[in-house]
Structure formats: C-alpha cells, structure tokens
Amino acid sequence: IKMYVSTRCVFPGFTITWLSGMNEPKNSPTTLFPKLTPELIKELGLEKGVEGSMSAFLLEAEGKTVMIIIRSTDVITTEWSGGTTTQLAISPEGAVYADRDFDWRLSTAEVNDEKSTFTPLPDYNRFLTIRKGSLRLKHDGGEWYDIGEGDVAEFDGGSLTESEGKVTDYNLMVRKGKIRGSLDTEFLDAGETVFMGDVEKSKVTAIYLSRGSGLGVFCNGKKAADLHEGDLLVFEEADFGKERMT
C-alpha cells in the first residue's frame, strides 16, 4: 500500500497522522463539515480543507504505533493465475510479498477457477477463512476436507495445497520460527456486542470487517473506530481486557 502523509497532529502523549493513497492531495472545503468549529479546524491543522481522499489514520503513543485503520478504498488488487488478490497489510514496512521477505501478511482473494493449486510458501504457516462460498482443500495428496463461511483452515505454506470451489477468502501468513499467529471469526447480529477480554495480549491484533454495514470498536469504554465493509483495523501491542466490538 503506497500512502503519503496528509495531516499530522501532535497532542500531549500521542500523535495522529492522516494518510492518503492518492498521488496528489485533494481537499474538500471545511464548510461541508458543519461539526468542524473554527477552533477545531485550527487545532487539527485543516485550514486548507479536509483531505478528500483521507481514508486511513495512524495513532502513535510513546514512540510506538498503537493503531492504524486501512480503508477498503486504499488497497491494491492484483491478478493471479486463479483470480485476484488484495493485500491488506504486510510487515515489516517496505516488505514485498514477491520477495518473501515479510514477517506476516494479511490479504483477501477471489478464487475464480473451480480447481487451483496454492503458491508454495515453505517459510510460512498459513491461516485461511472463507468470506463467501465453500471450498475443498487437500494437502500433499491427503484427504479432501470442506471449509465453509467462517471456518478456519491452518496449514503449512510449504505443503502442496490444492483446492476446489470458487470463493472469496481471507488469509494470514506468518513466518515460521519467528511469528506465531491465529485467526478467528465472529458473526454478529445488529446491536450485538462481543467482548475481547479472552484475546491473548499480542504484538499485533487485526480486525477485518468482511461483511456488514458497520462495526464499532470500543477501547476502555470509548469508541476507537468505526469500520465499514472491507476495512481493516490494526492494533499494535494491544491488551484487550476492556475492549469490545459492537
């Protein structure tokens, strides 16, 4: 994901940076935002307008990245032999999937061929869940097994993995011997709340809204973010003792 810094605001104890995926800034007049008071416009440094392509922001505290939101409009989709793939996030910054120099990667994919063979990734463990459709998998010539929407498959990226079925999926890849990962899914009805206190304290935690009209994420009783379909929220070094999703 290629982004540039649009606006940076420094507050006591933390910094907020707005990011854009556009090649050039595109501002909207502040008059379009009636809740922006003159004092707030000055405090946020928005005298030249509000970044029209502003769709991600980065929160940093005590020199550490705390949270970043990546909007669905700022990700890049590319083609592969069996369909398309969209990279959502990759670490470390500047890593390139094709170079296999990343520690972890999150992506979604459209599998358009009825039968396909996964790209071998011998240095990585893989986690896959189905967003839409159903899929059959087998590894190294073993038995076929089925995974449906919300099911999670965990397997060795170095295995010969074959699939049957046209689906939309969500993928996590983590480097063997360096990164431990897990992937879980939740189905929420309108207004339903899930508390995340059982989530183990981790270096990085990502929340992806696969489908739905909106998801509120609350931290210590205050709303941290609103996610829309296709948005990704990444926390670094988060302790979810008091966090919830609604």
Side-chain angles (χ1 to χ4, degrees), residues 106-235:
L106 289 169
S107 64
T108 65
E110 296 275 354
V111 182
N112 297 327
D113 288 348
E114 185 61 36
K115 295 183 179 181
S116 61
T117 301
F118 283 46
T119 301
L121 296 166
D123 293 327
Y124 296 90
N125 290 318
R126 300 191 60 170
F127 303 82
L128 179 148
T129 188
I130 304 302
R131 298 176 55 199
K132 181 180 180 182
S134 61
L135 192 69
R136 301 184 73 210
L137 289 176
K138 73 174 179 179
H139 312 289
D140 295 327
E143 296 293 327
W144 288 99
Y145 63 95
D146 298 323
I147 56 172
E149 292 186 20
D151 294 337
V152 177
E154 178 181 352
F155 55 94
D156 188 327
S159 298
L160 173 60
T161 298
E162 300 171 81
S163 69
E164 292 183 353
K166 299 180 180 182
V167 298
T168 304
D169 61 31
Y170 176 83
N171 303 273
L172 167 64
M173 305 173 186
V174 297
R175 182 173 288 278
K176 294 177 182 176
K178 187 175 182 179
I179 306 293
R180 291 187 300 111
S182 63
L183 180 60
D184 299 293
T185 60
E186 293 282 354
F187 293 91
L188 302 183
D189 293 326
E192 184 178 1
T193 297
V194 172
F195 287 88
M196 302 178 67
D198 293 334
V199 176
E200 180 183 358
K201 187 175 181 180
S202 60
K203 181 73 174 178
V204 177
T205 302
I207 300 171
Y208 178 73
L209 183 58
S210 173
R211 188 167 64 239
S213 57
L215 178 71
V217 180
F218 294 79
C219 300
N220 295 319
K222 296 182 179 180
K223 181 174 284 189
D226 278 312
L227 301 184
H228 304 284
E229 185 170 322
D231 291 347
L232 178 75
L233 172 63
V234 180
F235 288 97

Side-chain angles (χ1 to χ4, degrees), residues 21-172:
M22 302 290 289
N23 293 325
E24 298 178 354
K26 183 180 179 182
N27 293 337
S28 298
T30 55
T31 53
L32 296 177
F33 305 89
K35 292 185 178 181
L36 279 178
T37 63
E39 294 79 11
L40 190 57
I41 291 172
K42 183 177 180 180
E43 183 179 3
L44 296 178
L46 300 177
E47 291 86 351
K48 295 182 179 180
V50 178
E51 173 61 59
S53 59
M54 189 183 298
S55 56
F57 74 83
L58 174 70
L59 175 62
E60 299 168 287
E62 298 180 354
K64 297 180 180 179
T65 299
V66 178
M67 181 174 69
I68 184 170
I69 296 178
I70 301 170
R71 300 298 184 187
S72 60
T73 53
D74 274 334
V75 293
I76 299 172
T77 299
T78 57
E79 295 185 356
W80 60 287
S81 59
T84 61
T85 183
T86 302
Q87 179 172 289
L88 301 171
I90 194 168
S91 180
E93 184 178 357
V96 177
Y97 168 71
D99 294 340
R100 308 295 191 260
D101 60 353
F102 60 95
D103 291 338
W104 59 264
R105 181 179 187 258
L106 289 169
S107 64
T108 65
E110 296 275 354
V111 182
N112 297 327
D113 288 348
E114 185 61 36
K115 295 183 179 181
S116 61
T117 301
F118 283 46
T119 301
L121 296 166
D123 293 327
Y124 296 90
N125 290 318
R126 300 191 60 170
F127 303 82
L128 179 148
T129 188
I130 304 302
R131 298 176 55 199
K132 181 180 180 182
S134 61
L135 192 69
R136 301 184 73 210
L137 289 176
K138 73 174 179 179
H139 312 289
D140 295 327
E143 296 293 327
W144 288 99
Y145 63 95
D146 298 323
I147 56 172
E149 292 186 20
D151 294 337
V152 177
E154 178 181 352
F155 55 94
D156 188 327
S159 298
L160 173 60
T161 298
E162 300 171 81
S163 69
E164 292 183 353
K166 299 180 180 182
V167 298
T168 304
D169 61 31
Y170 176 83
N171 303 273
L172 167 64

